[in-house]
Amino acid sequence: MTIEFRSTMDVELIDHMGSDESIARSARVSSGTSGTEEQNVGLLRMLMRDRHGSPFESVTYQFKVTCPIFVAREFFRHRIASYNEVSGRYKVLEPVFYVPEPARPLAQIGKPGAYRFEPGTPEQISLTATAHKSAAGWAWEHYEWLLKEGVAREVARNVLPLSLYTSFYVTMNLRSLLNFLSLRWAHEDSKVPTFPLKEIEAVAKDMDRLAREVCPVAFEHFDSFGRVAP
Amino acid sequence: MTIEFRSTMDVELIDHMGSDESIARSARVSSGTSGTEEQNVGLLRMLMRDRHGSPFESVTYQFKVTCPIFVAREFFRHRIASYNEVSGRYKVLEPVFYVPEPARPLAQIGKPGAYRFEPGTPEQISLTATAHKSAAGWAWEHYEWLLKEGVAREVARNVLPLSLYTSFYVTMNLRSLLNFLSLRWAHEDSKVPTFPLKEIEAVAKDMDRLAREVCPVAFEHFDSFGRVAP
Amino acid sequence: MTIEFRSTMDVELIDHMGSDESIARSARVSSGTSGTEEQNVGLLRMLMRDRHGSPFESVTYQFKVTCPIFVAREFFRHRIASYNEVSGRYKVLEPVFYVPEPARPLAQIGKPGAYRFEPGTPEQISLTATAHKSAAGWAWEHYEWLLKEGVAREVARNVLPLSLYTSFYVTMNLRSLLNFLSLRWAHEDSKVPTFPLKEIEAVAKDMDRLAREVCPVAFEHFDSFGRVAP
Amino acid sequence: MTIEFRSTMDVELIDHMGSDESIARSARVSSGTSGTEEQNVGLLRMLMRDRHGSPFESVTYQFKVTCPIFVAREFFRHRIASYNEVSGRYKVLEPVFYVPEPARPLAQIGKPGAYRFEPGTPEQISLTATAHKSAAGWAWEHYEWLLKEGVAREVARNVLPLSLYTSFYVTMNLRSLLNFLSLRWAHEDSKVPTFPLKEIEAVAKDMDRLAREVCPVAFEHFDSFGRVAP
């Protein structure tokens, strides 16, 4: 098989349940009130501001994400979510590997908790691409060799690098998603500092854009109150 | 206000996401295969039999439940779910109270872990109805009296009994729902013994009926493998 | 049985695991560093400030709480915790009921999301005590009457009011506990506004005091960063 | 640095809370009874048999696990647990890699859901070791090269294989642990079929052995009722 290198992430919105109105409806059960669309905008504003989080759990999403394993590893740390992923035990994997795009910051400056990143020098950029390709190519050859000799997929895959692409479905509610977005996107509106990996930030940006269409009012208030999850 | 007594529970399916096909799709990402509708029936059978639970989390439901507080108390013990309930702090409550229907078993025989129930005698049935009504009526008078004198709702409601009706929205995924159903309905197909409260069993039966329409194949296998949650 | 009325809550620390050092140890695995006790103080400060929450899950507590049912109802909304409670199905309940102490604010002023409370008038205070006692006494008589006639405990208990005391064990980790405390105590150091029920606030204060002894450094930083859960 | 190859897993019990007695105490709050040590054995038997799971959440453990990344990936799918892991962003990783021991079954026979494994041929065994070592060595050279040229750790680590060792702390309660053990060890007493990866099974065996000492009665009943998590 021909090895493919790529630098991008894929995020697809597969399914969703609920809307801004669902959030308002769930919240209003507590007081037994009803409201106009405009009053619901104000209600959602108050819920976000005062961090009444549970009504935001009335909206759920299923995404399909395709990204390198090192990104999936970070993603799966989010426990209030449901996952199904490509299995290296059940499937011969495909030779698709990550290589950073030239603009990916490469120089890490500072100390834990306060890193900043700067662009790589031309030499670093070139070396980074070369090393990713060389390591992936060599690993893939070993993987194919093991499979050809009848070694189980679940053993052969051990030689593959963290830059290998994987795919998974993730189902999560809006509250959990907002928590994900608050941590994984160092957005200019964020009130809480966060230092996400660039590659997971790219996933977060796509999720934000797709999820926002389902409940635009909730996201507008999320932004205006500093992107702190309710 | 006029006091209302009732014996039934209300369960409404408000919203849902996914289907039998979603379960199959989530499961198939692990092996990268696709299948016909008929093959998906077989796949769901295997998932249920061997307790591969995570694909069943691709289906989510939102219900609205109206039931007495003593039922809601048991319901809320299920933690993998999202809740919003009528609040006695934010709302003047409504005088709707539970009274058992005459057929409700009243005599508890045996010891913890192995109770069985038998119908009440005519005297017990009559007494039970009288006591529920008398206690509710007295409590409601005190509630109204406190409110009339300007005492806060959140204090006045303390005098109300567990038979008072409440309403809540609950959002849960299919896997969590199946766990709920396995514990809260002593179904004749159940392989695992359970001794649910009759009143929560009535709620479970309604949820089962409504949820089943969304993914009939999953529920068919749930029944045939002894109603053990995957 | 003689009815007992009380106004206080009981909180007992039954067991605990971990310490400030556990938090530091869990956090330090990420960087592979070690530190002095003083450096750990600084590390915990940074973890709390930047909301790195997971290391705080290394500390767990088990409490036994005795409080009225209306308080337990609010408490059990916290899902990242483990509960075992007195069961009205398995046990004849004890006639211990809540009555507010005279200082309990009784007048609720304002609208949802922005209530404030003021002390009751002497008439309101007197009426509140009388109504709690009268409703509890009447309900208890009905409960005993039903039991005496052989009606099952799980039916008889329906007539009892929300002011009845219950007891439960709760196991939760420090991160979940800090979230509980941030919502259930309107502490003067709190940066996020919250409007807890006075009675659950009393429970929260006791839990804070007991839990604080197990990891004083974590709690000190919790206070100094506005009692926002990490 | 010198590359190290190993085939074993490390599991260390760091801390724990509770005991068989804690489980009994939590369960007994529901009925308000107390019992002798012998009666508690019977109580735990009933709890396990009838799958009353919540009292088992009164016991918590913290382990430190050292294993290859492909094992950690499976482990972290268990969501009712708390994790802190070595970070390739914050730390220069150490050159310790997995190589299967010769007895590790290498030939996968059958189809998804019904695989069985057989020992490798001498050629397969030799090739497997060679491929693991060659892939790891090549990847490590690229990692060091990237670091030497000033490329950020979080980028350089992408080239490393899934066979790299990692370490993490995991805190989980006994109920969640029993679920882990039921899925990750194909124990001869297991009533439910499971097909764990050999390498995670080795971790599970160590965890079982260590955890069992803390509450031997609970584990004895777990075994005798087919190792189904309550």
Side-chain angles (χ1 to χ4, degrees), chain A residues 9-15 61-67 75 84-86 166-171 203 206-207 210, chain B residues 25-26 28-30 32:
Chain A
M9 314 291 144
D10 285 343
V11 179
E12 210 182 328
L13 179 57
I14 300 295
D15 209 346
Y61 297 93
Q62 188 177 46
F63 298 95
K64 185 173 185 186
V65 178
T66 299
C67 65
F75 202 121
N84 286 99
E85 190 191 358
V86 166
T166 185
S167 285
F168 57 90
Y169 288 98
V170 53
T171 303
V203 173
D206 279 350
M207 292 174 74
L210 293 165
Chain B
R25 184 178 58 216
S26 293
R28 285 191 185 284
V29 74
S30 69

Side-chain angles (χ1 to χ4, degrees), chain D residues 9-27:
Chain D
M9 314 291 145
D10 285 343
V11 179
E12 210 181 328
L13 179 56
I14 300 294
D15 209 346
H16 60 91
M17 175 179 99
S19 62
D20 286 322
E21 201 195 328
S22 314
I23 302 166
R25 184 178 59 214
S26 293

Side-chain angles (χ1 to χ4, degrees), chain C residues 14-18 22 25-27 29-32 54-55 57-58 60-62 64 81-87 90-91 167-169 171 173, chain D residues 14-18 22 25-27 29-32 54-55 57-58 60-62 64 81-87 90-91 167-169 171 173:
Chain C
I14 300 294
D15 209 346
H16 60 91
M17 176 179 98
S22 314
R25 184 178 59 216
S26 293
V29 74
S30 68
S31 57
S54 58
E57 300 176 25
S58 301
T60 59
Y61 298 92
Q62 188 177 46
K64 184 173 186 186
S82 302
Y83 297 99
N84 287 99
E85 191 191 359
V86 166
S87 165
Y90 297 157
K91 181 180 186 308
S167 286
F168 58 90
Y169 288 98
T171 304
N173 66 45
Chain D
I14 300 294
D15 209 346
H16 60 91
M17 175 179 99
S22 314
R25 184 178 59 214
S26 293
V29 75
S30 69
S31 57
S54 57
E57 301 175 25
S58 301
T60 59
Y61 297 93
Q62 188 178 45
K64 185 173 186 186
S82 302
Y83 297 99
N84 287 99
E85 191 190 358
V86 165
S87 165
Y90 297 156
K91 181 181 186 308
S167 286
F168 57 90
Y169 288 98
T171 303
N173 66 44

Side-chain angles (χ1 to χ4, degrees), chain D:
Chain D
M1 272 190 276
T2 316
I3 296 191
E4 181 190 338
F5 291 99
R6 45 182 301 208
S7 306
T8 54
M9 314 291 145
D10 285 343
V11 179
E12 210 181 328
L13 179 56
I14 300 294
D15 209 346
H16 60 91
M17 175 179 99
S19 62
D20 286 322
E21 201 195 328
S22 314
I23 302 166
R25 184 178 59 214
S26 293
R28 285 190 185 283
V29 75
S30 69
S31 57
T33 57
S34 62
T36 63
E37 206 173 319
E38 199 188 319
Q39 286 169 325
N40 284 350
V41 171
L43 172 63
L44 265 64
R45 191 180 181 282
M46 185 275 279
L47 295 174
M48 190 68 77
R49 187 195 64 207
D50 291 354
R51 306 188 59 188
H52 295 295
S54 57
F56 296 96
E57 301 175 25
S58 301
V59 177
T60 59
Y61 297 93
Q62 188 178 45
F63 298 95
K64 185 173 186 186
V65 179
T66 299
C67 65
I69 288 176
F70 65 86
V71 174
R73 292 245 293 148
E74 277 204 24
F75 202 121
F76 281 55
R77 295 297 305 277
H78 291 263
R79 290 164 291 183
I80 304 183
S82 302
Y83 297 99
N84 287 99
E85 191 190 358
V86 165
S87 165
R89 302 183 72 197
Y90 297 156
K91 181 181 186 308
V92 175
L93 300 168
E94 283 160 36
V96 183
F97 296 91
Y98 176 71
V99 63
E101 54 180 9
R104 207 283 181 204
L106 293 178
Q108 185 176 9
I109 290 151
K111 53 174 194 165
Y115 289 123
R116 66 193 166 78
F117 277 85
E118 294 192 353
T121 61
E123 290 72 25
Q124 285 173 331
I125 293 170
S126 160
L127 168 61
T128 296
T130 303
H132 275 72
K133 288 179 181 170
S134 165
W138 186 258
W140 187 255
E141 270 181 48
H142 284 71
Y143 180 63
E144 288 204 308
W145 186 25
L146 285 162
L147 292 184
K148 193 164 64 68
E149 298 301 324
V151 173
R153 293 186 290 273
E154 70 179 34
V155 174
R157 58 92 188 260
N158 300 344
V159 304
L160 295 172
L162 296 170
S163 61
L164 184 78
Y165 272 77
T166 185
S167 286
F168 57 90
Y169 288 98
V170 52
T171 303
M172 66 202 316
N173 66 44
L174 174 57
R175 188 185 194 181
S176 181
L177 174 61
L178 294 179
N179 180 60
F180 179 91
L181 296 176
S182 76
L183 290 168
R184 305 303 176 190
W185 183 356
H187 193 282
E188 57 178 14
D189 290 343
S190 288
K191 237 171 47 184
V192 178
T194 187
F195 306 95
L197 192 71
K198 287 296 161 200
E199 288 85 357
I200 205 169
E201 193 175 55
V203 173
K205 285 176 181 177
D206 279 349
M207 291 173 75
D208 186 302
R209 180 177 47 76
L210 292 164
R212 183 176 292 266
E213 287 172 31
V214 174
C215 36
V217 177
F219 271 85
E220 190 192 315
H221 295 316
F222 176 56
D223 287 347
S224 65
F225 289 109
R227 295 179 66 89
V228 176

